[in-house]
Each structure stands twice: as C-alpha cells, then as structure tokens.
Amino acid sequence: MKKELNPVKKFGGAIEVPGDKSIAHRAVLLSLLSKDKIEIINFPDNQDCNSSLKSVEALGVIVERSENLVSLTPPENLTISDDGIIDCGNSGTTARLLAGIIAGSDISATISGDDSLSKRPMKRIIAPLTEMGAEIFADENNTLPMKINGKKLLPFEYRLPVASAQVKSSVMLAGLASSCSVRVIEDIITRDHTELMIEHLGEGLDVRVIKAEMVVDKDDPRKKKMIMPEDFKKEIKISSQTKINGGRVDIPGDISTAAFFLAGAAISKHTVTVAHLGLNPTRTAFLTYLKTIGCKVEITDKETVSGELRGTVTVTGADLKVKKISGDTTVGLIDEIPIVAVIAAFTNGTTVIRDASELKVKESDRLEAVAENLRLAGIKCGLLEDGLAIEGGTEFSGADFKSYGDHRIAMAFSIAAMFAVGPSTIDDASVVDISCPEFYELLDKVRN
Ligand code: S3P
C-alpha cells in the first residue's frame, strides 16, 4: 500500500500509543513456563506480538482474547503440532526468546520466519545455547529455519559479547525452562523487561546492578575518586529455584512508538503529550536525547504498574542543537536511531552516530535505509563503518521514500514527510502493522 503524505501546517496534541511490544512478548512467552494463567491488559494487537501469541498457541497454551485483554492458560506439558514448525513471522524477539525456551524444554521444534527474519543472525543465540548443551541445527549461515531438540541443559555463566537484550533473555529463559542455574554478565546494560517480568510474575531471580563507588585515592589520601567495584555493570542469576507463577500484566504504552510523535513535536517546535507511557530507565534514552538537543521534556503522573514505570510525557520542540551519539547512548536508542536520524536532518549542523553496527542486522539494514531515504530528500548523509554522518539544516524535500519492509523506517520517514517541502509517498506503508497498525490514525490526530 503506497501512502501519500503532505506536509503539515501544524503538529501537536495528546495521544496514547499501544502497549509496549517488548514487554508484551515477554508476558506471552513466559506463559510457556508458568504454573498458572497469565492475563495481559493493554495487549498491542500488532503482527509481531501476534507472532508470539501464535507461537505459544502452537505449543499448547490456550489463548483467549477480548478487546485488548489476552488470557493465556499454560498446558500441563508443552506439545507441538505434527510438522513441528513454529513460524515467528518478522519477529526477532519471538524467535530468539522462544529458541531459549525450546532449548531447555523436553520437546523438539523448528523455528522459522519470513524473508527478513530468515536473514537475521542467529549465531548469537545458537553459540551460548549450544554451550549450555542445547541441540540446535541451522544452515552454515546460522540463520532460520533452525531445529531445536529440547534437552536438560547445564549450569552456565555468560558474559554477553554483544549488547543485546534478546540474547540475554534467550539464555535466561533457557535456564528457566531447564531449571538450571545461569549467570549473565552485562558490560553494557540493555533493556531489562525480562528481569522485571520474571520478578513480577514469578520469584527467585537475583539481579545486581553495579554502581560506581566513591573511595579514597590510594596515591593521594586527601582526594576521593569514583571507581566501579566490578569490571562489569550488571549480573543476573537464574537458579533452579527461579519460577513463574502467573498473574496479571498491565502493559504501558510503547516508548519506541511514541518516539515518532515526540520527534514531530521536536521538529515542529510544538507540543505532543503521551499518557500511560512506559518509562523503564533502559528505554528512556530518547527522552534524554530530546532534552540534550534543546527540547522541553516534562514527565508527570509517574507510577509503577506490573513492575514497570510509566507516566505522562510532554515534549515541546525548540531550536535544535547537534549531539553526537555513540557508545551506551546508541544502545539505549537502538530502536530510535531511524527517527533520531530524521531529527538530525532538521537540525543545523552535522550529527554523527557511531557504534551502531547492530542496525545493519535489524528488520532491514537501517543504516543503509536511512541514508538512502535522506539522500532522496536532498540531505547529505555519509554512511560510516558503524553509523551515519548527517548534514542537517538544509532543505528537506518531499520524496518517494522506501520502507525496505521495515516498520521503523516507514514510520520515521512518514514523520519526516510532515515537515518536508512538497508531497511525499511511502512505498509500503502497511509495514507499520508489524509494531503499530494504528500509526496513521495516530498521525491524523496530531497533524493539521
Ligand atoms: C528487543 C531488543 C532489541 C530491540 C528489539 C527488541 C527486545 O534488540 O532492537 O526491537 O525486545 O529484547 P537486541 O536485543 O537484539 O538489541
């Protein structure tokens, strides 16, 4: 579906966005390991989350839906249909987390996905799961489809070689499924929804976040200095006692979806408010970024529901300043980089984004996709080995943008089109259904 988009006269308003995709995946997948029923309120009805629902259904979970409430009743024992194939569609989170669960279960299954997911790297989970004793068969490229013969796994210690919440979660869930101890160490803290969901629906998880400490300087006792007491930032321990009991999960709005509308506020210098928005500190780097570049960011009505922080966020745009993005900040903005790049195009000066190689293996090569679309709009954009250099502040022309089959690219350039000079099109706008089928309805609410 080609979508025509005209520039706005005015942008702003108050919206709510659908439930957080990452949190929903975890609530659904944990039903495979739960003693009792899991009920999910504000379930986001998008293609990715529905891939998780279909996966657990294929393994014997009874799924009941009404409006945005989903009820999941776990089976006595996991089962699998005759062909043994579980199709995860476009959803990397479903495939990687499910692989961990199946690896530690007592069934065999083949995990498959669509063309895009079948190109994405699976070695990152195959390697640690195999070290735990899992039996996994994939082709020489270590891509889907992969067959997993579930087994009793061995205790495992793992220092994440790639800053990935999906890899972390896959290994944790394998330990949980197999009731064996797993210790995971993070050098860069990634999103922690799996940890919070296990704590909310279960018990027996041990999490330690390492904080810098003030100590007396040995060389000069008059001085104090900050040190890290460990050479890592976080330690997570699953034990044979860790278990999931079940319960209710109320999902906050998805900050990665809200980011597109908040970016519109930033570019237009108008105001957008989003209520009931997830504010988990591992996901709010985008709000920090907006503040750093000069926007006003207000947060009210903060509360913790189902273990996750939420609140109402109001962003008002201003004259935007350039900010380099690298290191831990890039990890914190991992899903927001396409819209950050769009903001950069509307900012005077050159924005450099580094340490972003992971974006090459998302639903599309997001570095290429962003660079190509920015160039179509007449913006100079350099493709770096691990990022982008975007020369902003020049005229942003309307263009025929390409989604590359990637929901976040379609959304980022739909927002860009709002502020372009002249009309634009998005070639396959229906890809927004992957994470937010309501995207264009929401956009209609804030554009004039
Ligand atoms: C996700 C983690 C991130 C993110 C993805 C969802 C998750 O991927 O990009 O959209 O739900 O754990 P990585 O963990 O591979 O960085």
Side-chain angles (χ1 to χ4, degrees):
M1 176 193 75
K2 189 167 182 158
K3 177 118 187 139
E4 287 175 14
L5 292 162
N6 289 313
V8 289
K9 293 182 198 80
K10 237 186 124 203
F11 192 94
I15 52 166
E16 284 194 35
V17 293
D20 187 277
K21 184 157 85 77
S22 283
I23 299 176
H25 281 305
R26 279 134 175 105
V28 171
L29 294 170
L30 280 180
S31 68
L32 295 168
L33 305 173
S34 184
K35 195 160 114 331
D36 290 323
K37 196 188 258 196
I38 294 178
E39 283 181 322
I40 308 172
I41 302 161
N42 198 28
F43 180 80
D45 189 8
N46 60 48
Q47 279 179 14
D48 267 9
C49 292
N50 285 327
S51 289
S52 278
L53 271 189
K54 280 189 224 138
S55 303
V56 300
E57 210 168 20
L59 290 163
V61 171
I62 297 170
V63 177
E64 290 162 288
R65 294 179 79 155
S66 64
E67 297 273 314
N68 66 351
L69 189 125
V70 171
S71 161
L72 304 157
T73 308
E76 199 68 36
N77 297 299
L78 299 189
T79 51
I80 177 88
S81 59
D82 286 346
D83 68 358
I85 297 173
I86 303 176
D87 180 6
C88 297
N90 191 252
S91 176
T93 309
T94 310
R96 294 190 177 118
L97 272 57
L98 189 63
I101 295 176
I102 293 173
S105 75
D106 52 14
I107 57 161
S108 294
T110 298
I111 293 185
S112 69
D114 69 7
D115 285 351
S116 151
L117 185 55
S118 302
K119 289 192 192 93
R120 295 180 66 186
M122 292 296 152
K123 178 135 195 239
R124 52 184 60 201
I125 55 157
I126 295 176
L129 293 174
T130 306
E131 266 191 72
M132 292 177 81
E135 220 175 85
I136 305 183
F137 304 95
D139 63 12
E140 69 278 11
N141 299 323
N142 289 298
T143 50
L144 296 186
M146 63 185 176
K147 175 153 198 239
I148 306 176
N149 294 332
K151 278 200 159 177
K152 174 82 188 135
L153 303 175
L154 304 168
F156 187 50
E157 296 215 0
Y158 197 53
R159 190 169 192 143
L160 285 175
V162 51
S164 163
Q166 293 181 353
V167 175
K168 169 176 72 176
S169 303
S170 185
V171 169
M172 285 171 67
L173 294 178
L176 196 55
S178 200
S179 296
C180 72
S181 62
V182 167
R183 177 172 176 258
V184 183
I185 300 291
E186 282 193 303
D187 293 309
I188 297 179
I189 293 185
T190 62
R191 62 185 67 183
D192 63 356
H193 304 301
T194 306
E195 294 90 303
L196 295 181
M197 190 65 74
I198 294 174
E199 279 166 352
H200 176 64
L201 293 175
E203 58 195 280
L205 185 74
D206 187 3
V207 177
R208 193 161 66 105
V209 177
I210 316 300
K211 297 243 161 66
E213 285 174 7
M214 183 88 90
V215 293
V216 173
D217 191 339
K218 276 200 217 91
D219 302 326
D220 182 354
R222 291 166 305 176
K223 286 192 189 147
K224 288 189 172 168
K225 62 175 184 183
M226 298 297 282
I227 59 144
M228 281 294 281
E230 304 281 1
D231 69 346
F232 53 84
K233 295 224 178 93
K234 188 173 177 186
E235 175 185 43
I236 303 152
K237 285 184 187 161
I238 299 263
S239 75
S240 54
Q241 310 304 315
T242 312
K243 58 177 181 176
I244 305 300
N245 299 317
R248 274 198 156 207
V249 180
D250 188 339
I251 302 184
D254 195 322
I255 193 164
S256 297
T257 302
F260 297 103
F261 303 101
L262 300 175
I267 297 167
S268 66
K269 301 196 177 79
H270 287 113
T271 301
V272 169
T273 297
V274 189
H276 306 298
L277 190 60
L279 291 174
N280 177 313
T282 62
R283 296 284 300 282
T284 48
F286 184 69
L287 300 182
T288 311
Y289 165 76
L290 289 180
K291 260 192 235 169
T292 322
I293 61 170
C295 298
K296 191 168 154 205
V297 179
E298 278 176 296
I299 301 177
T300 57
D301 306 323
K302 270 197 195 179
E303 58 176 332
T304 298
V305 180
S306 307
E308 291 275 0
L309 189 64
R310 63 170 69 183
T312 298
V313 175
T314 302
V315 169
T316 306
D319 283 332
L320 302 177
K321 293 181 281 203
V322 161
K323 167 88 179 106
K324 180 178 177 184
I325 291 160
S326 62
D328 291 18
T329 307
T330 307
V331 174
L333 288 170
I334 197 74
D335 288 342
E336 285 71 65
I337 295 290
I339 190 63
V340 165
V342 166
I343 295 173
F346 288 93
T347 305
N348 284 326
T350 302
T351 298
V352 176
I353 302 172
R354 307 286 328 219
D355 304 314
S357 297
E358 274 294 301
L359 268 85
K360 295 181 191 169
V361 290
K362 294 291 179 191
E363 287 84 327
S364 67
D365 178 338
R366 288 187 175 157
L367 297 182
E368 283 256 9
V370 164
E372 277 303 311
N373 278 324
L374 287 180
R375 286 175 195 148
L376 289 177
I379 300 294
K380 281 194 186 149
C381 178
L383 199 53
L384 312 174
E385 189 191 316
D386 64 345
L388 297 166
I390 301 152
E391 215 176 289
T394 57
E395 183 173 290
F396 194 107
S397 311
D400 294 325
F401 295 116
K402 289 190 242 150
S403 70
Y404 294 86
D406 184 331
H407 54 132
R408 298 204 198 277
I409 299 298
M411 293 188 207
F413 284 89
S414 295
I415 295 294
M418 298 295 101
F419 310 107
V421 177
S424 300
T425 60
I426 304 283
D427 64 348
D428 180 14
S430 63
V431 288
V432 301
D433 293 357
I434 296 289
S435 62
C436 183
E438 305 85 344
F439 179 80
Y440 288 107
E441 273 165 52
L442 290 169
L443 190 55
D444 283 342
K445 282 194 182 167
V446 289
R447 65 172 170 159
N448 258 295

